[in-house]
């Protein structure tokens, strides 16, 4: 259930960022693709449609995603996507075959780069002192 909510929330955050964040929109420029996050056991899948500098997410499996990230199960997917060091967690998961990449690996790197735009902005030290 946590993983399902995480994927849904990820879709909501990316959709909002695609409407309101110019830096995020710049990362979407020229992209027209579908990607998918799912569990390898087939119990859960969500796909994301990138078109015209916007992202829309839908539940279920996409017919022909440009890339797909498959996690061994929902618990593992949630743990990986919420890990403190996500890059290390992903690399270990790929090495251990607990995460499988289908499609273009360069697009997976692009997707991971998008995540930094979804994190809430930290208040600067100057604002905290005021």
């Amino acid at each position: 259930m946590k993983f399902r909510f995480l994927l849904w929330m990820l879709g909501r955050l990316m959709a909002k960022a695609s409407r309101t964040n110019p830096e995020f929109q710049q990362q979407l420029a020229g992209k027209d693709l579908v990607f998918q996050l799912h569990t390898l056991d087939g119990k859960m899948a969500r796909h994301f449609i990138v078109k015209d500098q916007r992202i829309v997410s839908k539940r279920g499996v996409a017919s022909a995603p440009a890339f797909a990230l498959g996690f061994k199960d929902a618990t593992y997917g949630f743990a990986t996507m919420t890990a403190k060091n996500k890059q290390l967690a992903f690399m270990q998961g790929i090495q251990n075959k607990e995460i499988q990449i289908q499609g273009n690996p360069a697009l997976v790197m692009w997707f991971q780069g998008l995540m930094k735009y979804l994190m809430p902005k930290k208040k600067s030290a100057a604002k905290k002192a005021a």
Side-chain angles (χ1 to χ4, degrees), residues 43-106:
K43 291 183 179 176
M44 201 173 308
R46 188 158 199 93
H47 63 277
F48 304 84
I49 303 159
V50 181
K51 189 174 177 75
D52 300 326
Q53 290 184 297
R54 295 287 186 264
I55 294 185
V56 177
S57 82
K58 306 215 181 265
R59 79 172 172 227
V61 178
S63 59
F67 75 91
L69 275 175
F71 299 91
K72 78 173 184 176
D73 58 32
T75 304
Y76 185 80
F78 182 80
T80 303
M81 302 265 308
T82 59
K84 285 252 187 247
N85 188 341
K86 289 173 190 52
Q87 196 164 14
L88 178 64
F90 268 93
M91 294 308 283
Q92 287 176 335
I94 291 166
Q95 286 176 339
N96 299 339
K97 307 247 187 285
E98 294 171 322
I99 298 175
Q100 290 182 9
I101 298 173
Q102 290 124 2
N104 187 340

Side-chain angles (χ1 to χ4, degrees), residues 22-56:
E23 293 169 327
F24 190 85
Q25 290 170 342
Q26 193 172 23
Q27 297 300 311
L28 302 178
K31 299 278 193 250
D32 185 2
L33 58 96
V34 176
F35 65 93
Q36 175 176 293
L37 303 177
H38 64 276
T39 56
L40 295 174
D41 59 14
K43 291 183 179 176
M44 201 173 308
R46 188 158 199 93
H47 63 277
F48 304 84
I49 303 159
V50 181
K51 189 174 177 75
D52 300 326
Q53 290 184 297
R54 295 287 186 264
I55 294 185
V56 177

